[in-house]
Amino acid sequence: MTQSPVELVIFDCDGVLVDSEKICVKVDAVIMADLGCVFTEAEIIERFVGSSTEVYTAAVEERLGRRLEKGWQQRYEHLYDAAFEAELTAVDGITDVLNRLTTGVCVASNGDHAGIRRSLDITDLTRHFENRIFSAADVCRGKPAPDLFQHAARSMGVPPERCAVIEDSAYGVQAARAAGMRAFGYCGGLTPAGRLEGPGTVVFDDMRVLPELLATVTA
């Protein structure tokens, strides 16, 4: 049997490791309404799932017609904290996948380090990723730019062509392609399969099949 060329599996966090996207969409809608700019949940899913803070802020400012103060999101962090503590769970099947994988793994998320660790701690996944957690705060540009995935690969000492990225958002798979990595688009959450499809991308809806999909990758 030919050995898979994948040496490193890079996981997004929200929607891939932790089932947080539905929670975030509900909280986002509350926050935006409080700011005075109403986005429907459908709009939030379409425009913001997997996006960077910069993309999110720019869209809110455009709809409001004014600038927001620096660090405006901090006053709403308690809403996410409370919702996550009450409702957050690991994505169905991900613990089994992490126990089965024999390649290196890491996390690369547009969230900040504190938020990523909070999510992993709540869902008991931190042990799989100690010292291998990368945030958009570590680079100049978050997804859909390739910077974060490239930074993760360099830090792990693995060339891009030997990395596989597991994503659940259009921004994420776009970033993976731009980084020259294989993309696996998980459509078992909020993002429909059609938004994840594209060159160099395998789309799947059951996290438990991921090890078998990775094993079929050829050079």
Side-chain angles (χ1 to χ4, degrees):
M1 181 181 293
T2 303
Q3 184 177 5
S4 170
V6 175
E7 296 178 10
L8 175 65
V9 182
I10 304 175
F11 289 90
D12 178 37
C13 185
D14 293 305
V16 170
L17 296 176
V18 301
D19 196 8
S20 56
E21 299 292 23
K22 293 176 183 177
I23 300 172
C24 288
V25 167
K26 289 189 292 185
V27 175
D28 287 346
V30 170
I31 291 170
M32 291 172 179
D34 185 66
L35 288 168
C37 61
V38 176
F39 285 82
T40 66
E41 290 193 3
E43 283 182 298
I44 293 169
I45 293 169
E46 174 74 19
R47 299 185 62 177
F48 304 128
V49 168
S51 70
S52 65
T53 300
E54 291 75 19
V55 169
Y56 184 102
T57 300
V60 171
E61 289 178 337
E62 180 182 10
R63 186 155 294 189
L64 282 174
R66 62 177 174 84
R67 298 295 298 273
L68 293 168
E69 71 275 14
K70 187 175 181 180
W72 67 272
Q73 287 181 301
Q74 292 176 4
R75 68 178 185 268
Y76 295 110
E77 284 300 319
H78 69 284
L79 298 178
Y80 294 105
D81 291 342
F84 278 26
E85 287 289 348
E87 303 177 46
L88 189 65
T89 59
V91 165
D92 189 32
I94 192 62
T95 300
D96 177 60
V97 167
L98 293 171
N99 286 332
R100 291 167 59 198
L101 288 179
T102 58
T103 58
V105 297
C106 68
V107 179
S109 168
N110 265 348
D112 60 30
H113 278 281
I116 299 167
R117 182 165 288 276
R118 172 194 59 190
S119 294
L120 297 179
D121 285 347
I122 290 172
T123 54
D124 195 30
L125 296 176
T126 306
R127 59 193 171 88
H128 295 283
F129 300 104
E130 284 290 359
N131 303 315
R132 287 171 280 119
I133 298 173
F134 305 98
S135 161
D138 302 332
V139 295
C140 293
R141 302 177 299 169
K143 309 168 196 177
D147 305 32
L148 177 55
F149 290 144
Q150 292 169 338
H151 168 63
R154 282 194 304 270
S155 299
M156 297 292 291
V158 179
E161 64 272 16
R162 293 195 173 273
C163 296
V165 173
I166 318 304
E167 270 286 354
D168 73 317
S169 74
Y171 289 107
V173 293
Q174 181 181 337
R177 294 172 194 143
M181 301 176 181
R182 293 171 173 84
F184 289 78
Y186 175 62
C187 63
L190 295 181
T191 304
R195 295 204 68 215
L196 302 174
E197 293 170 347
T201 305
V202 174
V203 178
F204 66 109
D205 63 3
D206 182 350
M207 190 60 73
R208 290 179 179 82
V209 305
L210 180 59
E212 285 73 28
L213 293 176
L214 290 167
T216 66
V217 172
T218 58

